[in-house]
Each structure stands twice: as structure tokens, then as C-alpha cells.
Amino acid sequence: DIFSLDDRRNAYQGRPRDSLAAIDSSAGFCVSYSGALIANVRNLGANNQLGYGSGWWDGNREARGWTTPSGSRRLDLVGFTYHHSLGPLLPREVFRKELQVFKQAYWKAWGANSDLSDHSKGFFPTEMAFSSSLVNVLGDEGYEWTIVASHHLSRTCPTYFDQFNLPSSYGIYSSPPNKADQLGPSPTAGWWYGE
């Protein structure tokens, strides 16, 4: 049923382009599709099922070519694993193969270069599961940066605990960070701090 919902049909086809067209031309955003999602939507489109058409990728292909006044890509279709797998739980060579197979789906879906010369330099870790053990493989595969949840960054700040005063819950639904890992800056103002 997921693929037949209007918000999914739109999100997996032309809505990213439409949303990007509605904001200032100096702005952009990142979008991720797993390779398996690309395969599923491609198959639905090829068979004109559930409201998907053969041009399901047209919006992303078009918006991928838009640039900001400074020349940056406005729609960055970032790297992902092919099977929506959690990278830190995979053996290193399996993770590498997930990235390599994904990149083949990527260039075919988004009308990119088969030599991957225009592949995104960014990576989105599945379910925000990230480990430093991924860094070498990501680098080897041409990725230069990864998306990291702001919550993970704020947890490195010694002032993180200043925001939470409920014993054992810290006002959030995750375990508190190890104080030995809190080597970041110590802000007392700002978005994460105020939230």
C-alpha cells in the first residue's frame, strides 16, 4: 500500500523538482533513494502501475541539472546503500559492494554519466546509522561528506547535559552520551541548545 499513497507517488516522481522550483534559486537540498527503491519505482513506472509512469525520473533528472548562482547543484541526489542496509552492521566488503551496486542504479535512474564522474560526493547513512568504520570505504568509493543528524553532533558538546534536567530521561528518547566522548565545543546558545 505504501507505493499507492499520494504523498509517495508524488515524492518518488515530480515533487522534489516542484518543491525546489518553489524556493530561491540560490538554495538547494539533498534527496536520497536506496537502489532498491529506485528499482521498485522503475518497475512500477515501466508497467504504469499505481499512478507511476515511464517518466517517473524526469523531475529529478531535470532538477539535478539546476545550479545555484555560484554553480553548485541545487538537487543533490546523494549516495545510499542499494538494499537500504545499515552500513555499520555490514562487513567492510559487503558495504563496499552495496555502494558499488547503488552507484550503477544511480547513474541509470538519474541520467548521469556511466563513468560516475558526476556522482554525488555526499552520502546519506541508512536510518542515520553511522560509524567511523565506514569512513575508509566511503572515501575509497569517492564520497567526501556524509549527512549526520544534528542530535549526534550536539551529543559531543559538554554543554549537552545543560539542556536536560529530567533524571534518567534527559527530556529526549535516547540514552545519554558518554561524557568521555564530549570533546566538542561548549555552546550556550543556538538552535540545538535552545531546543
Side-chain angles (χ1 to χ4, degrees):
D1 291 342
I2 276 284
F3 287 96
S4 65
L5 298 173
D6 284 339
D7 71 331
R8 298 304 168 99
R9 266 195 299 265
N10 292 324
Y12 297 155
Q13 295 185 94
R15 188 59 51 83
R17 174 201 52 216
D18 299 344
S19 296
L20 188 56
I23 64 174
D24 187 277
S25 66
S26 62
F29 50 78
C30 298
V31 173
S32 64
Y33 288 69
S34 70
L37 176 60
I38 290 170
N40 285 331
V41 175
R42 184 184 64 237
N43 287 332
L44 290 168
N47 293 292
N48 291 308
Q49 293 182 340
L50 302 178
Y52 295 87
S54 60
W56 69 272
W57 48 43
D58 290 344
N60 285 340
R61 285 182 174 188
E62 177 186 348
R64 187 175 172 276
W66 298 347
T67 56
T68 64
S70 64
S72 297
R73 187 177 288 157
R74 291 190 64 208
L75 178 62
D76 193 357
L77 292 152
V78 296
F80 205 79
T81 54
Y82 186 87
H83 292 101
H84 201 101
S85 44
L86 298 171
L89 301 180
L90 299 174
R92 173 175 272 174
E93 289 310 309
V94 174
F95 178 59
R96 181 182 310 281
K97 187 57 72 175
E98 281 281 330
L99 298 176
Q100 292 170 345
V101 174
F102 169 81
K103 288 192 276 188
Q104 293 304 307
Y106 176 100
W107 75 262
K108 294 171 186 172
W110 309 134
N113 296 330
S114 62
D115 66 1
L116 305 175
S117 60
D118 59 347
H119 186 73
S120 176
K121 299 296 183 198
F123 178 76
F124 182 80
T126 306
E127 308 305 333
M128 300 308 293
F130 189 80
S131 166
S132 60
S133 67
L134 304 178
V135 172
N136 288 340
V137 175
L138 288 169
D140 290 347
E141 292 300 321
Y143 294 104
E144 296 177 1
W145 56 269
T146 185
I147 295 170
V148 178
S150 61
H151 178 68
H152 294 308
L153 298 176
S154 63
R155 292 165 59 88
T156 69
C157 299
T159 52
Y160 179 81
F161 288 104
D162 295 351
Q163 291 302 295
F164 310 104
N165 55 17
L166 301 173
S168 74
S169 75
Y170 299 94
I172 57 172
Y173 298 105
S174 68
S175 58
N178 181 332
K179 288 187 178 189
D181 293 333
Q182 294 185 303
L183 303 173
S186 295
T188 57
W191 179 84
W192 82 266
Y193 194 87
E195 295 296 313

